[in-house]
Amino acid sequence: MSRTSTDPIPPPPTDPPVPLPQVPGPKLEPFTANAHADIEFLKFLGSPEDKDSKVWKVNIDGHGPYALKLFLFNSWESLQCHGNSLTKPLAKPKFYDGYFDPFNCECRVYGRLKQECREDLAVRSHGYLLLSPQQEHQVTNLMKSHSDGPIVSASDELDGYNFWGRFEEHRGHPIRAIVKEFASDGGEGFNSTQVEQLWEDVQDLHRLGILVRDITYANYIGGKLVDFSRAWTMYHPCFDWTTPRQLKSNLQQDAQRLIGLLYTWARVNREQHDAEGYDFEPPKGLKECSLAEDDCQDVDPGSYDWHKWEADPEATEAFIDKALF
Ligand SMILES: Nc1ncnc2c1ncn2[C@@H]1O[C@H](COP(=O)(O)OP(=O)(O)OP(=O)(O)O)[C@@H](O)[C@H]1O
Ligand SMILES: [Mg+2]
């Protein structure tokens, strides 16, 4: 498929703002009626190396604190690489954006958690906001003090080498942000009393059709996952059109990442655990699910019944059959 200027990625509609993303499946509502708000930027919470976003502690319309995750832009061609396990290409750039863009991936997860009344499975989200040009300017200037000289294009050309990663296809698009519960100011990812629950939560996410695909210590706060920027949520084309081998390896990835990080965490904290009389054991069933040669007893997120949430399931099936690819 070649880049087409006749079908670019549209900016999020703002009048009135709609739940996002605009592809079939779960969506996140705007945080305010017009998706805009007064934002007081208090403190940068992430690290300059964060690849997908910049997270700030903020007050919004005089209330807070909240965590506000501001998402960088991605060209649809780079999103196409995120979808490289697909056995056939999607028909339009906007479908890559809808199913693989980090902001949209998180919106889809939070939308599903809300549908299923399982917002307890993650650090909570309250909705999305769109930044005004003035707010973007303000936070960009604040961010400059947190990195070793951001790469900002001197020219008007949008080539991806600018602070928010804009390409020509994002000209005029506002920065999209997700408002979350402010979880902590640098506390621990999890503690020994939460270890069993971590695997139970991941399995519950799988039951709800969500594959996290980015389980790391930094993505936990207080025992809950906070980062879903790589997640696939049913309906997602990757559960449908991937080779069985690739799908199996993707499905095992969450278990493998979790067990890997738990062993590292146990090793790093061994002295403290010894002093507390805590003896690390991997959560029940996790080891089996993480072994490549074993058939995982875990649930396949691709088997989630997403039809029940669709206003017109037949129309969605027709879209998947005839328009998505
Ligand atoms: N709700 C929150 N409350 C407090 N701190 C947070 C919150 N959300 C994120 N953070 C901090 O910001 C960091 C980056 O957040 P997050 O992992 O969501 O972004 P990211 O850019 O996708 O990161 P990565 O580059 O690892 O993919 C977290 O590791 C955490 O330190
Ligand atoms: Mg992260």
Side-chain angles (χ1 to χ4, degrees):
M1 200 192 323
S2 62
R3 182 188 281 268
T4 155
S5 58
T6 55
D7 191 23
I9 299 171
T14 51
D15 191 22
V18 296
L20 295 176
Q22 291 191 287
V23 287
K27 296 170 178 37
L28 186 67
E29 301 278 339
F31 182 64
T32 59
N34 65 1
H36 288 284
D38 282 337
I39 303 169
E40 186 187 353
F41 294 96
L42 301 172
K43 184 183 171 195
F44 177 55
L45 295 173
S47 80
E49 290 82 46
D50 288 339
K51 296 178 294 291
D52 299 320
S53 71
K54 306 290 171 197
V55 182
W56 277 78
K57 181 179 181 179
V58 296
N59 282 330
I60 300 177
D61 287 339
H63 301 283
Y66 296 100
L68 188 67
K69 181 167 181 176
L70 309 162
F71 287 80
L72 274 59
F73 293 92
N74 291 277
S75 70
W76 79 268
E77 279 158 330
S78 71
L79 297 173
Q80 221 177 359
C81 299
H82 289 221
N84 63 7
S85 56
L86 282 170
T87 48
K88 53 181 183 173
L90 302 183
K92 294 181 178 179
K94 67 178 180 186
F95 298 152
Y96 283 100
D97 185 61
Y99 288 109
F100 296 102
D101 174 74
F103 168 80
N104 289 329
C105 289
E106 281 213 12
C107 286
R108 301 186 86 241
V109 169
Y110 280 115
R112 173 58 44 76
L113 296 182
K114 180 135 193 147
Q115 284 174 329
E116 291 278 2
C117 299
R118 287 304 313 270
E119 289 168 286
D120 62 294
L121 289 173
V123 172
R124 279 163 202 264
S125 152
H126 300 292
Y128 76 83
L129 284 177
L130 305 173
L131 262 59
S132 67
Q134 293 76 12
Q135 288 168 330
E136 175 175 335
H137 186 70
Q138 185 194 0
V139 75
T140 306
N141 282 338
L142 290 168
M143 288 299 310
K144 284 181 187 172
S145 60
H146 291 279
S147 67
D148 313 330
I151 321 156
V152 182
S153 288
S155 74
D156 195 30
E157 194 190 348
L158 298 183
D159 53 6
Y161 292 103
N162 47 73
F163 193 72
W164 296 98
R166 271 197 186 81
F167 284 80
E168 196 51 55
E169 68 211 44
H170 308 116
R171 187 176 288 278
H173 291 204
I175 289 175
R176 301 153 307 165
I178 295 183
V179 182
K180 297 184 187 177
E181 164 195 353
F182 174 66
S184 92
D185 235 335
E188 59 188 1
F190 53 82
N191 62 38
S192 55
T193 66
Q194 293 161 330
V195 165
E196 281 292 325
Q197 190 64 42
L198 300 183
W199 177 225
E200 281 176 30
D201 283 359
V202 169
Q203 287 180 298
D204 280 352
L205 288 164
H206 290 176
R207 286 187 190 99
L208 301 186
I210 298 163
L211 196 64
V212 183
R213 303 183 65 250
D214 193 14
I215 293 190
T216 65
Y217 185 80
N219 287 340
Y220 278 99
I221 305 182
K224 291 291 162 191
L225 276 163
V226 74
D227 184 354
F228 295 96
S229 57
R230 301 288 154 123
W232 296 343
T233 302
M234 267 308 265
Y235 175 83
H236 195 288
C238 283
F239 290 118
D240 234 5
W241 290 97
T242 310
T243 60
R245 197 155 153 244
Q246 265 180 329
L247 187 60
K248 186 177 176 210
S249 106
N250 272 304
L251 293 178
Q252 282 182 319
Q253 200 190 103
D254 283 356
Q256 285 168 349
R257 291 275 182 92
L258 182 58
I259 201 158
L261 90 83
L262 284 173
Y263 278 126
T264 306
W265 167 84
R267 199 175 55 245
V268 169
N269 293 288
R270 189 178 212 136
E271 274 183 28
Q272 188 192 332
H273 293 162
D274 285 349
E276 291 166 353
Y278 169 72
D279 195 11
F280 170 70
E281 278 289 330
K284 209 161 157 275
L286 173 58
K287 210 165 166 181
E288 293 71 22
C289 280
S290 67
L291 294 174
E293 63 271 19
D294 264 26
D295 253 347
C296 187
Q297 297 304 303
D298 185 21
V299 191
D300 170 8
S303 64
Y304 177 83
D305 176 19
W306 54 273
H307 297 83
K308 63 184 175 184
W309 302 111
E310 292 296 312
D312 187 347
E314 280 176 24
T316 309
E317 285 284 5
F319 164 79
I320 293 165
D321 283 350
K322 299 191 173 67
L324 181 57
F325 295 97

